[in-house]
Amino acid sequence: MEALKLLDEDMIKELIPKVGQRVKFLKEWRSKFICEGQQPRESSPIQPSSSSDDSLCHDVDLETCSTVSVVSNQSSIATLPIDDQDASTREQQLDPSAGSSTAPPVPLERQNAFSFNVLTILSQNEKGKRVRQSIKQKNYCSPSDRRILVSMCVAHLTEHHGMKPDSVVKNAMASAIVRAFPCLKDPKGTGHGAFYTKGKKNLPAFGWLEDHLRYIRKKEKRLCSWRRLERLETESTSPSDKRQDPPSGTDGEDMSPEELGAMTEWLKHNLEPSTTVTDYMRRTAGQRMRLIREDGKSVGEILQSYPRLLDAGMIEQDFDILRPGHKTSLYQKWETLAPKLVRYAQITSPAWSEALQCQKDVLLYSSDEIKNLAFFLISILFRGRSGRKGACSVVNSLRSFIDVKPDVTSVEQYCQDIEKEDRPQPFILCLGSNQLSPQQSFVIVERRPILQPSLMAAVDYCFKCHYVFDINYQPQCKGAWQFLQSEIYEIDAVHSNTISAFRVWLVNADTGASQTAV
């Protein structure tokens, strides 16, 4: 067992992947070869194992112990230290004899430092070289280039670290990608969250690297069921996933239940004076939110108790109480963001004009049409899912987000024909021959059409209905609502690779524009 003296802790970690067995082995190994000051031998014949050496294999599988004597070199030119200083530090960590003989063993956490040279990985074949050159020239990574980049990086991970690499290794690879191509850095979070984000708080890890690793594991072993794959890829980003406690400090917080009940009954039978209706609705907001979030009341039951909630300004008032400071976010940001969304769609989804059946030359559109066009585009750029079939079709995503009908459509008959199972509400209905300039815009809630002055007002009202009534987004258009939630209203964290990719593009587009202006 003289070969045991030639090992270091990184080799032992690869040879004994099970943590419990590895901890027992390391304890005995350190006491024999580190604490006693014994140095590894450069070359010596392997002697028959003694009884003291056999004690190292206590509680460890015999098969594992037999493989310990085989030291495999899995180093690669694509796995490099960050700099010379880190290299010398790493060498001293892995070889205790390089320093003082009395120095304590280096903690395992410090040995889990990895650095990858992504440019070298891409240089291994022609496709990788083209991707490397394309990203450098365009300062942007197209979806096709990204797939090749992720595929080659994952291939390197599986080759040198197995089908289930450690989270530290995956995080190092994601960080190396962003270092190699700074234009891919996300301005939020770690900067490489779209490529890999470690799971936490019962949420699985996610990112393009993690997604591709799951895909190849499924293809290689075919052991994962569809249900498990869906659970691993679930994104907890709908309003109901993070329930908001009823706000404290509202006007009705110090009121007795009898007073709140009297106000509720008064609101059922009175429309005026409007100032009293608004005041009573504000005072009963806390009770209403507790009924929705704690008692699980449905939308129909809430509207039966508070029929004035769908009156003008009431949803907006409840949303402002629930999420202070976000009431006018869409009106403040959309005019600036809409043209950028159109430019992004021209790069990533050139077929958008065919899906919307409109002209591709955006110079022909007015500023209002550009803003309306951007609403349709987010349902194409950030499509949702359709059950187990993956991403839904563009048509279903558009229809679930904004349903466009001819101007002669009877709104009353349309609402009566809605099937709750097929068309969860709320959603937006537009009437008109030109979808970019609709004649009328409605928000459909419980088969009730709520007329809005514009398409932007309808989108704003519909989003606030989701939060006030604590309703999950429709799966088909979930990505569009998540985009508004994250980038416009800035409410909660949204874990979406497509939204992260847009943020990366937006930062680089703004940087390029500012440099051109200078």
Side-chain angles (χ1 to χ4, degrees):
M1 301 295 284
E2 290 292 329
L4 293 174
K5 301 177 181 180
L6 303 177
L7 297 178
D8 56 44
E9 295 189 7
D10 280 346
M11 295 178 182
I12 295 174
K13 182 177 180 180
E14 294 180 4
L15 295 170
I16 309 178
K18 293 185 178 181
V19 177
Q21 296 177 355
R22 186 169 68 247
V23 170
K24 295 177 182 178
F25 186 89
L26 283 171
K27 182 178 179 181
E28 296 291 336
W29 180 79
R30 290 192 183 114
S31 64
K32 297 291 183 181
F33 303 118
I34 295 182
C35 295
E36 294 179 3
Q38 297 185 19
Q39 303 298 326
R41 300 179 181 178
E42 295 183 359
S43 62
S44 62
I46 299 177
Q47 302 294 334
S49 58
S50 62
S51 59
S52 61
D53 292 329
D54 292 338
S55 64
L56 294 176
C57 295
H58 183 63
D59 292 335
V60 183
D61 295 341
L62 293 177
E63 182 181 354
T64 303
C65 290
S66 64
T67 58
V68 168
S69 61
V70 182
V71 182
S72 59
N73 182 15
Q74 295 185 354
S75 61
S76 173
I77 58 172
T79 306
L80 300 174
I82 298 175
D83 51 32
D84 294 338
Q85 183 179 359
D86 291 341
S88 61
T89 304
R90 187 188 309 271
E91 182 178 356
Q92 185 175 358
Q93 290 176 356
L94 297 180
D95 186 8
S97 63
S100 174
S101 59
T102 60
V106 180
L108 288 176
E109 290 79 7
R110 293 180 58 187
Q111 298 184 27
N112 286 333
F114 296 91
S115 180
F116 299 94
N117 193 326
V118 175
L119 300 180
T120 303
I121 295 174
L122 292 177
S123 300
Q124 294 176 0
N125 58 43
E126 293 300 324
K127 284 186 177 180
K129 293 177 181 178
R130 286 198 298 269
V131 169
R132 173 179 174 177
Q133 185 177 4
S134 174
I135 298 176
K136 291 291 187 181
Q137 289 179 350
K138 299 178 182 178
N139 204 33
Y140 162 75
C141 184
S142 65
S144 59
D145 289 344
R146 187 200 70 227
R147 285 190 287 270
I148 297 174
L149 170 64
V150 170
S151 178
M152 296 187 66
C153 290
V154 168
H156 181 82
L157 287 178
T158 56
E159 179 182 357
H160 297 281
H161 300 280
M163 297 295 289
K164 294 184 178 181
D166 189 81
S167 60
V168 178
V169 178
K170 292 181 283 188
N171 191 73
M173 178 62 79
S175 178
I177 292 174
V178 174
R179 286 201 309 271
F181 303 105
C183 62
L184 303 183
K185 185 175 182 180
D186 191 338
K188 293 186 177 181
T190 60
H192 56 261
F195 289 94
Y196 178 74
T197 299
K198 185 179 179 181
K200 58 182 179 180
K201 295 182 180 178
N202 297 326
L203 294 177
F206 62 92
W208 284 310
L209 293 176
E210 184 69 22
D211 292 343
H212 196 65
L213 280 167
R214 289 176 187 154
Y215 168 75
I216 62 175
R217 285 197 295 264
K218 174 192 171 186
K219 185 177 179 181
E220 190 78 17
K221 299 181 180 180
R222 298 190 181 278
L223 295 178
C224 297
S225 64
W226 280 105
R227 180 177 300 177
R228 177 169 176 78
L229 285 175
E230 286 183 353
R231 181 177 64 82
L232 289 173
E233 296 175 356
T234 298
E235 297 173 355
S236 57
T237 50
S238 64
S240 292
D241 291 333
K242 294 185 178 181
R243 295 186 178 272
Q244 178 79 9
D245 293 332
S248 59
T250 56
D251 291 343
E253 187 179 22
D254 55 350
M255 299 180 62
S256 65
E258 292 77 12
E259 292 176 310
L260 291 173
M263 289 184 180
T264 302
E265 286 298 319
W266 187 91
L267 288 169
K268 290 181 181 179
H269 308 357
N270 294 275
L271 299 174
E272 295 179 350
S274 59
T275 54
T276 304
V277 172
T278 302
D279 181 59
Y280 281 9
M281 288 295 290
R282 183 177 63 254
R283 288 169 177 262
T284 56
Q287 179 185 11
R288 198 157 45 249
M289 294 172 191
R290 279 187 289 271
L291 290 174
I292 294 173
R293 284 158 175 77
E294 296 179 4
D295 298 346
K297 297 292 185 181
S298 65
V299 177
E301 292 172 331
I302 291 298
L303 293 179
Q304 187 176 1
S305 300
Y306 298 94
R308 305 276 67 81
L309 186 55
L310 295 182
D311 291 356
M314 296 299 104
I315 289 290
E316 291 86 346
Q317 179 177 258
D318 276 22
F319 180 80
D320 191 40
I321 295 173
L322 183 63
R323 295 288 185 176
H326 301 282
K327 185 177 180 179
T328 60
S329 296
L330 183 63
Y331 298 96
Q332 294 173 353
K333 299 179 181 179
W334 196 250
E335 186 172 0
T336 303
L337 190 61
K340 298 176 181 178
L341 278 165
V342 175
R343 276 196 295 147
Y344 184 68
Q346 290 176 323
I347 297 173
T348 59
S349 301
W352 64 267
S353 59
E354 299 175 4
L356 296 176
Q357 297 181 355
C358 60
Q359 296 181 1
K360 193 171 185 178
D361 188 0
V362 296
L363 297 177
L364 302 176
Y365 297 139
S366 64
S367 59
D368 289 338
E369 289 176 331
I370 289 291
K371 288 186 284 187
N372 291 340
L373 173 62
F375 286 121
F376 288 95
L377 289 178
I378 61 175
S379 61
I380 298 176
L381 295 171
F382 314 108
R383 280 184 291 164
R385 301 183 65 84
S386 179
R388 297 180 178 180
K389 300 179 182 179
C392 69
S393 65
V394 173
V395 174
N396 287 337
S397 180
L398 285 168
R399 180 174 176 269
S400 300
F401 187 52
I402 303 175
D403 196 6
V404 180
K405 295 294 181 182
D407 51 2
V408 296
T409 301
S410 171
V411 178
E412 182 179 355
Q413 185 63 39
Y414 176 90
C415 292
Q416 291 178 359
D417 295 340
I418 293 176
E419 295 291 339
K420 287 188 177 181
E421 292 77 12
D422 298 335
R423 290 302 306 271
Q425 303 162 59
F427 64 90
I428 302 164
L429 171 66
C430 290
L431 301 182
S433 56
N434 183 4
Q435 58 188 343
L436 301 184
S437 298
Q439 296 180 2
Q440 289 181 306
S441 299
F442 299 89
V443 175
I444 308 299
V445 182
E446 286 294 300
R447 293 194 177 95
R448 305 182 191 184
I450 313 299
L451 181 63
Q452 299 296 321
S454 65
L455 178 58
M456 182 182 294
V459 173
D460 182 66
Y461 188 88
C462 191
F463 178 85
K464 292 172 180 176
C465 283
H466 280 92
Y467 268 84
V468 170
F469 292 115
D470 199 32
I471 303 174
N472 290 326
Y473 300 139
Q474 293 187 50
Q476 293 85 351
C477 58
K478 184 177 181 179
W481 290 119
Q482 287 177 341
F483 175 81
L484 294 173
Q485 170 189 329
S486 173
E487 305 306 309
I488 301 300
Y489 295 94
E490 298 181 355
I491 298 175
D492 297 336
V494 172
H495 307 312
S496 171
N497 296 341
T498 54
I499 295 175
S500 179
F502 171 75
R503 283 199 300 263
V504 171
W505 175 87
L506 187 61
V507 169
N508 289 285
D510 292 342
T511 303
S514 62
Q515 291 177 353
T516 303
V518 174

